[in-house]
Amino acid sequence: LLANRTDCEYDSQLNFDALLLGGYYCHQCLPEQDLTCDVGGICANVQWLGYTCDNEYFVTINAGETSPSPSIEIQFANGTSVDPSTILLQRGVTYRFTVLENEENLGLCTSMSESSSSMQTLCAAKGPLLLSSNDIDNASSISSEIVLFVEGNEGLNVTIAVEEKEDDSDDKASLSIGAIIGIVIGSVMCLLIAVVFVRKKMQMSEAEKTVDSSQPVVHAGVSTDLNEQACEEVADVSTSSSDP
């Protein structure tokens, strides 16, 4: 089966035409798979129909006069209904909520903070409402959820959970501990190097002293034998001079 083919090498018998003709538009052997879905999404092939993305949802707003009970219905891209309470938005992923046409031409909106004092409302009608990773971070900066509501009727809404944000304080604490450990290890290494250097200097000094003490000491002056010989010669001269 083409779905299970993993021989994606350039010299493989499998080629792109075979995949496309086989109805595969999302396959691990096709190039640029990261461009098939919005940022962070993963595609799944639907043979002969195309593909779906796990970060894409379709939204139906039932709020017209003929609707018995106003509601917001969310579906996966394959048409399967999903409970909003089971959705968990991942940080770093862009999500697409495509709003389908409805009787009142109502849009789907969400509010997020642009700064600590201002709020921004994003809406989409008969089209996609894109929530980028930055939008999700801004919208969930205070709480860990995002509220999607019907345009002009904030009471008709659904709440979607957002992945908890990593605590930067833990990273800073671990970084501080790592820095302290690095400083301690560096100090110990420097101390050991200094001790080894001093010991080598001491050993060299002791070796030089040993060499100096082993050499014989030569004293300047005339030896005793030479003195005695000089005295004998003087005595001989004196004796010869006293003879008549």
Side-chain angles (χ1 to χ4, degrees), residues 119-197:
M119 297 290 292
Q120 178 188 17
T121 300
L122 299 179
C123 297
K126 293 191 299 184
L129 174 63
L130 291 175
L131 298 181
S132 67
S133 58
N134 290 334
D135 294 334
I136 293 175
D137 286 337
N138 292 335
S140 59
S141 58
I142 300 177
S143 62
S144 58
E145 61 186 21
I146 286 180
V147 178
L148 302 177
F149 57 90
V150 174
E151 185 178 8
N153 184 5
E154 295 189 13
L156 182 56
N157 61 67
V158 293
T159 301
I160 299 177
V162 178
E163 179 186 26
E164 292 186 3
K165 194 172 184 178
E166 295 182 358
D167 192 357
D168 296 337
S169 60
D170 294 339
D171 295 337
K172 293 180 180 179
S174 60
L175 179 62
S176 300
I177 295 174
I180 293 173
I181 293 174
I183 293 173
V184 171
I185 292 176
S187 301
V188 172
M189 292 297 295
C190 292
L191 181 60
L192 290 176
I193 293 173
V195 170
V196 171
F197 179 76

Side-chain angles (χ1 to χ4, degrees), residues 49-120:
L49 296 178
Y51 59 87
T52 60
C53 297
D54 63 353
N55 58 343
E56 182 178 6
Y57 298 92
F58 288 89
V59 180
T60 301
I61 299 176
N62 300 312
E65 296 179 356
T66 59
S67 300
S69 59
S71 63
I72 299 175
E73 182 182 359
I74 299 179
Q75 298 176 332
F76 289 117
N78 60 8
T80 304
S81 296
V82 56
D83 185 355
S85 62
T86 62
I87 299 175
L88 178 63
L89 303 184
Q90 304 291 325
R91 297 182 184 275
V93 179
T94 296
Y95 288 89
R96 179 185 295 263
F97 293 88
T98 301
V99 182
L100 303 178
E101 186 176 4
N102 55 78
E103 295 179 0
E104 303 294 331
N105 196 27
L106 297 173
L108 186 70
C109 304
T110 186
S111 296
M112 55 195 61
S113 58
E114 288 184 312
S115 63
S116 58
S117 59
S118 62
M119 297 290 292
Q120 178 188 17

